[in-house]
Amino acid sequence: MIEMSGVCKWFGEFQVLKDINISVATGEKMVVCGPSGSGKSTMIRCINRLETHQKGRIVVDGTELTDDARNIGAVRGEVGMVFQQFNLFPHLTAIENLMLGPVRARKMSRKDARERAEFYLERVHIPEQADKYPGQLSGGQQQRVAIARSLCMEPRIMLFDEPTSALDPEMISEVLDVMTELADSGMTMICVTHEMGFAKRVADTMVFMDAGEIVETADPGTFFGSPRSDRCKRFLQQIL
Ligand code: ADP
Ligand code: MG
């Protein structure tokens, strides 16, 4: 479903991604971790072309990401993304935030979009918050609205970039629970997170990045039980 081969990227003189190779099968869950500044966000942002790469190939569900706007549009339609900052529209209610994409981008009728939005608010367990504005919701509720908003576009792939790192500790599990349910439903996912309990529960593949490189790729048993590189060992000691 997602293939990156030999991907390199520079910000000016600074090489942020160095020969990135990953392969994510349909239904696979990949969890990416690594120190701050190692290139995790940049890597997953390349997958929906929020960032452009300069070398190598990125193929998403059979479509190669090139400068061709049609390819970029096709890939964006299949890939949902959830960020650390929820990026909800503050002047729209929860349900209006969910309806916006289907109505604007998919030309869905407001009635159908509302039904779909209700369905996904139910799925993230906050149907009763539909008519509240983001400012009236807790951080955990806002992040669940953001996840539901992505799901309303019915993506085939979901990318998560540290979705719980801006949350108060008591709200982290309500978001991870929703992500776990999504994983169990068969969604193809790449999650950048340092929530290692979640990683152990859902990951098929663990990736450790450092200084723009993928240092380690392994199944969770091997990754947590016997990491090969010293960099990865040190990192795990710090966060576990
Ligand atoms: P991570 O998500 O692992 O913390 P990022 O992908 O955000 O890492 O950033 C990797 C490196 O690239 C960092 O050194 C960061 O400062 C740099 N960087 C990120 N975005 C930009 C940008 N738009 N311009 C220049 N440098 C950037
Ligand atoms: Mg990041």
Side-chain angles (χ1 to χ4, degrees), residues 11 14 16 34-43 51 161-162:
F11 285 120
F14 173 68
V16 57
S36 179
S38 55
K40 307 179 298 296
S41 296
T42 305
M43 179 177 83
E51 300 285 357
D161 192 359
E162 305 207 37

Side-chain angles (χ1 to χ4, degrees), residues 135-202:
Q136 299 172 305
L137 300 173
S138 72
Q141 290 170 332
Q142 289 184 61
Q143 192 58 302
R144 286 186 283 159
V145 171
I147 293 170
R149 179 177 58 175
S150 275
L151 294 176
C152 271
M153 302 299 277
E154 312 216 305
R156 299 193 66 194
I157 298 166
M158 284 288 286
L159 307 175
F160 291 89
D161 192 359
E162 305 207 37
T164 60
S165 21
L167 297 177
D168 291 332
E170 72 273 19
M171 291 168 190
I172 291 176
S173 67
E174 65 189 56
V175 171
L176 294 177
D177 287 349
V178 164
M179 291 169 64
T180 302
E181 288 167 15
L182 189 61
D184 290 344
S185 79
M187 180 67 79
T188 306
M189 293 164 55
I190 300 184
C191 308
V192 177
T193 182
H194 293 156
E195 293 294 334
M196 292 300 147
F198 168 80
K200 286 176 183 168
R201 163 82 174 74
V202 311

